[in-house]
Amino acid sequence: MEKISAKYQALHIIEHLLPVTEGKEIDRLQTLPALVSDFNQKVRTEFVPRDIQSLFQNRLDGKGLQWPLQCLNESFGSLLGGTLGHIFAPVDAGKTSLVCQVASHFSRQLAGEERLLYYCNEEIGERIQQRLYQTTLGLSEQGILQHMETGRGQELEMTYLKNGGSQIDVYHNPESSIEELFSLVEGGYYRVIIVDIADHVSFRGDKKEDRTSSRLEALYRYYRELPSITKKRYGREVDIITVGQADAASAGKKFLYKTNTAESKVGKPGALDWEIGMGETYAPEERDFRFLNITKNKLRPKGFECHPVTFNREKGRFKDA
């Protein structure tokens, strides 16, 4: 992992000096010592403390980010930083709504300058922002429009911002890359990073059309490097949530497993600390239910679990069943 960080920082220095090789921006040479110093600082190996107080006190104090659903709090506990998790589901099952509810709930717990980054490359960024409004306010799209028609739009915006919305940065780029993500992370004090759709993010040397396990294994190694970068940058390890699709065989199924993730059955799951596969059935009596399958859990290992939850599609909200 240190080699990955060192490689990234070295490339950053080279890119910084490229204009100089073309006879432009000669003054950039003066910033080279500072860049090298910063590079040496970031690739320094840090020893992990061994005292019991620093290792377990956060858990005793109940610190960490609580989930919006009690079933997930019981399965994973609070997120204390440094974790990499994955949420996947079939198309149009409510995956984005679940992720937005998690983002909204986490944002209300952020302290000081902490922020949440929602980095998306597939769904239009404005649509993500709209869903964040819906789940935070507990209103359908029609309900928001009705408030705006009566001149209460500004009031809704202020309520959204006061309830964590001001802490969320939504960034949309269909041509997303690891280099861009790393640059965004270094420029902000992020406590949580959501990457949607994570498998579609490119990186140097990447053949994006190649969806093999080896490609995704390399990509998720980059994601695993993010906590160490944030710790060196602003003293706190970030929690990362990646979002992806389930395979075609998952449609209409209540129970999903590791093998139901799209494109990679080996390389990607091996990098994760936890994983949620959201299933749904086409039975009329279960149309408002979803099933959160815990397909991997290194935080509180319990084996496979399946939690039924209700889903209000109009408001983008889930509740424990």
Side-chain angles (χ1 to χ4, degrees):
M1 290 302 183
E2 293 296 334
K3 290 182 178 179
I4 295 175
S5 180
K7 179 180 178 181
Y8 169 73
Q9 294 297 333
L11 287 170
H12 180 66
I13 292 173
I14 293 171
E15 288 179 352
H16 182 76
L17 295 178
L18 278 178
V20 180
T21 65
E22 300 172 356
K24 306 173 183 178
E25 302 182 48
I26 306 300
D27 58 338
R28 287 196 176 202
L29 285 172
Q30 299 175 6
T31 65
L32 184 58
L35 283 172
V36 173
S37 176
D38 187 50
F39 164 79
N40 289 331
Q41 178 72 16
K42 289 181 178 178
V43 300
R44 185 183 70 248
T45 300
E46 295 184 2
F47 290 101
V48 178
R50 63 171 63 91
D51 63 290
I52 192 169
Q53 194 77 10
S54 64
L55 291 171
F56 292 97
Q57 190 61 47
N58 282 344
R59 189 67 74 184
L60 283 174
D61 293 340
K63 292 182 178 179
L65 298 176
Q66 299 288 317
W67 297 86
L69 297 167
Q70 186 56 31
C71 62
L72 297 183
N73 283 316
E74 292 173 357
S75 289
F76 299 132
S78 57
L79 294 185
L80 297 171
T83 65
L84 174 60
H86 187 65
I87 297 175
F88 69 97
V91 174
D92 203 34
K95 174 177 70 270
T96 302
S97 293
L98 175 62
V99 175
C100 284
Q101 184 174 352
V102 169
S104 173
H105 193 75
F106 282 172
S107 70
R108 288 173 235 168
Q109 304 171 60
L110 301 179
E113 298 180 1
E114 291 180 337
R115 305 189 65 76
L116 182 149
L117 174 63
Y118 197 124
Y119 185 69
C120 55
N121 52 39
E122 192 163 270
E123 188 150 6
I124 297 173
E126 285 78 6
R127 184 56 184 154
I128 297 293
Q129 193 73 72
Q130 289 170 0
R131 293 196 187 191
L132 286 167
Y133 262 89
Q134 288 174 236
T135 190
T136 301
L137 299 173
L139 293 172
S140 64
E141 182 175 342
Q142 187 60 35
I144 292 176
L145 292 175
Q146 288 174 353
H147 278 73
M148 294 180 68
E149 288 171 354
T150 58
R152 297 179 60 193
Q154 194 66 35
E155 179 184 337
L156 287 185
E157 181 176 338
M158 292 304 298
T159 301
Y160 170 74
L161 295 175
K162 288 179 180 178
N163 284 275
S166 63
Q167 306 298 105
I168 302 175
D169 296 329
V170 178
Y171 188 95
H172 176 255
N173 182 5
E175 301 300 323
S176 57
S177 69
I178 279 291
E179 291 75 24
E180 179 181 63
L181 177 58
F182 278 26
S183 177
L184 289 171
V185 170
E186 290 194 343
Y189 190 70
Y190 290 113
R191 173 67 180 81
V192 180
I193 299 170
I194 296 171
V195 186
D196 180 7
I197 297 288
D199 291 3
H200 296 175
V201 175
S202 66
F203 54 93
R204 276 192 178 83
D206 174 30
K207 295 181 179 179
K208 210 168 183 181
E209 69 278 2
D210 181 9
R211 299 297 180 195
T212 63
S213 292
S214 59
R215 177 197 174 271
L216 292 178
E217 184 177 5
L219 175 59
Y220 276 72
R221 278 202 299 266
Y222 279 113
Y223 292 139
R224 285 239 64 118
E225 180 66 9
L226 280 169
S228 64
I229 290 176
T230 61
K231 186 174 182 180
K232 291 168 184 175
R233 187 70 176 179
Y234 36 81
R236 183 68 182 263
E237 289 186 322
V238 70
D239 284 300
I240 305 132
I241 300 176
T242 59
V243 185
Q245 306 287 3
D247 61 13
S250 302
K253 289 187 177 180
K254 177 185 297 187
F255 301 109
L256 301 185
Y257 304 95
K258 292 180 184 178
T259 53
N260 290 121
T261 56
E263 298 165 348
S264 176
K265 316 297 183 184
V266 181
K268 177 167 63 178
L272 303 173
D273 295 306
W274 57 266
E275 186 176 55
I276 300 171
M278 185 167 68
E280 65 171 336
T281 73
Y282 298 148
E285 65 273 15
E286 292 182 328
R287 65 182 301 273
D288 294 327
F289 282 83
R290 296 295 183 269
F291 303 90
L292 304 184
N293 300 279
I294 311 302
T295 59
K296 184 172 184 177
N297 188 355
K298 291 172 64 176
L299 306 181
R300 289 183 176 179
K302 300 179 181 180
F304 179 82
E305 298 177 276
C306 180
H307 301 300
V309 295
T310 60
F311 177 38
N312 185 322
R313 183 179 289 274
E314 287 189 353
K315 296 181 180 180
R317 280 191 173 183
F318 292 79
K319 291 184 178 180
D320 291 282

